[in-house]
Amino acid sequence: MCYNSLDSVCELGMEIDEATRRRDYCFTEANSKELLDNNRLQQARLINNEGYTTCPLCLERLSSYDFCKRLIQATGREVHDLTVTKVNLFHIRELRFGEYNHKTYNLGWGHHHCNVVVKDSGIDHTLTWMHEVLSKNIENGHFSV
C-alpha cells in the first residue's frame, strides 16, 4: 500500500500490467476474506487518509524502495552483514509481559529510527515525551518553530 509500490516493482523488472494485476488480485483476495479493514489500519496509524502506508510514529508516507535500502553505517562501525533496512516491523501498542501483541492491526511497517525511538514505551508515551523535549528546548532558546 506504499504510494510508489508499482514504480519500484516495475523498476526491478516486472511489467506494469503484471504488477497492477498482482496488486489488484491481492486486494481482492484480502477483501473477500475480510483481511483488509482500512478503518482499523487508519486507527492503528498504519495508513493515511489516502490509503498509503505510513510510519506509525512520524506519520510520513513510506516508500516501497525503503524496504530494500540498508541503513547507512557510521564510519568506523561498519559491519559486513548489516541487514537492517530503512523500514522494519513496528508494534503499535508496545510489547508487554504476559500479553500476546504479535497480531494483525498491532504490527505494521515503520521507519527503523522511529521504532528505535519508541522502543518499549509505546507511541502515545513517546509523543508526550517528544512534546516535552521540544517545549523545553523552545523555552530555553535552543529550538525555534
Side-chain angles (χ1 to χ4, degrees):
M1 296 174 75
C2 292
Y3 68 94
N4 58 353
S5 59
L6 290 178
D7 297 335
S8 63
V9 295
C10 289
E11 190 175 305
L12 293 169
M14 188 178 279
E15 297 294 325
I16 187 67
D17 292 344
E18 182 184 354
T20 303
R21 271 196 314 277
R22 178 177 280 181
R23 181 201 58 199
D24 293 347
Y25 172 79
C26 289
F27 279 121
T28 300
E29 284 295 300
N31 281 317
S32 72
K33 293 177 171 61
E34 298 180 5
L35 297 173
L36 182 61
D37 185 335
N38 285 328
N39 290 329
R40 285 184 73 185
L41 289 171
Q42 265 185 293
Q43 289 171 355
R45 309 169 66 93
L46 297 171
I47 63 170
N48 63 14
N49 293 337
E50 298 171 301
Y52 293 122
T53 307
T54 58
C55 174
L57 179 65
C58 71
L59 301 179
E60 183 180 306
R61 291 188 315 177
L62 296 181
S63 168
S64 55
Y65 292 99
D66 291 342
F67 287 85
C68 302
K69 290 181 185 171
R70 292 191 177 152
L71 292 180
I72 297 172
Q73 299 182 56
T75 304
R77 299 187 68 192
E78 299 91 353
V79 294
H80 72 283
D81 60 348
L82 177 74
T83 58
V84 178
T85 57
K86 196 169 178 181
V87 295
N88 55 38
L89 277 177
F90 202 116
H91 286 91
I92 305 310
R93 249 190 48 219
E94 66 276 11
L95 293 176
R96 295 177 184 201
F97 185 74
E99 190 175 326
Y100 180 70
N101 280 356
H102 295 290
K103 53 188 171 185
T104 310
Y105 303 105
N106 194 45
L107 280 172
W109 296 104
H111 295 115
H112 173 76
H113 180 76
C114 291
N115 203 0
V116 169
V117 170
V118 169
K119 303 184 296 180
D120 298 330
S121 300
I123 293 171
D124 291 337
H125 177 76
T126 301
L127 288 171
T128 300
W129 170 77
M130 291 169 83
H131 182 266
E132 292 169 5
V133 169
L134 280 172
S135 295
K136 287 176 188 173
N137 278 275
I138 290 168
E139 287 170 20
N140 288 284
H142 299 295
F143 184 80
S144 61
V145 182

